[in-house]
């Protein structure tokens, strides 16, 4: 395995982690903003509303995206193993 291959695998791993976490972080931020907007409109200052709803929304999205996330992780794992096992 060459240093270029190691660098490419490290770059791909970082990109994969960002790609896999971005939808979940994005939906959590969107739900937080939505509840903040609703609270500002209704002048309801209960901070627990978004903390109760946000985990359920993120979990639901995770269940929907699980096959796609699994295929991304599997394809990266296959590429990494093939790079390690590839003869010089």
């Amino acid at each position: 395995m060459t240093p270029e291959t190691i660098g490419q695998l490290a770059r791909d791993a970082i990109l994969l982690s960002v790609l896999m976490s971005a939808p979940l972080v994005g939906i959590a931020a969107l739900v937080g903003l939505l509840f903040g907007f609703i609270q500002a409109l209704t002048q309801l200052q209960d901070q627990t509303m978004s903390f109760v709803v946000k985990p359920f929304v993120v979990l639901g999205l995770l269940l929907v995206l699980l096959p796609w996330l699994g295929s991304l992780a599997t394809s990266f794992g296959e590429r990494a193993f093939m790079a390690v096992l590839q003869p010089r």
Side-chain angles (χ1 to χ4, degrees):
M1 183 183 302
T2 64
E4 292 82 20
T5 307
I6 294 171
Q8 182 66 30
L9 283 175
R11 180 183 166 276
D12 289 347
I14 292 170
L15 182 63
L16 180 68
S17 65
V18 169
L19 185 64
M20 290 177 75
S21 64
L24 301 174
V25 172
I27 197 70
L30 188 65
V31 168
L33 284 172
L34 179 67
F35 271 90
F37 184 68
I38 291 171
Q39 286 177 342
L41 285 178
T42 61
Q43 294 183 355
L44 200 102
Q45 297 302 320
D46 186 15
Q47 298 300 321
T48 59
M49 282 186 357
S50 88
F51 288 115
V52 171
V53 174
K54 208 182 297 184
F56 291 112
V57 171
V58 170
L59 181 64
L61 182 66
L62 180 64
L63 290 175
V64 169
L65 294 180
L66 202 56
W68 177 65
L69 296 174
S71 69
L72 285 177
T74 302
S75 66
F76 173 74
E78 289 173 353
R79 281 195 326 267
F81 280 121
M82 293 307 288
V84 169
L85 297 176
Q86 190 176 36
R88 295 180 193 199

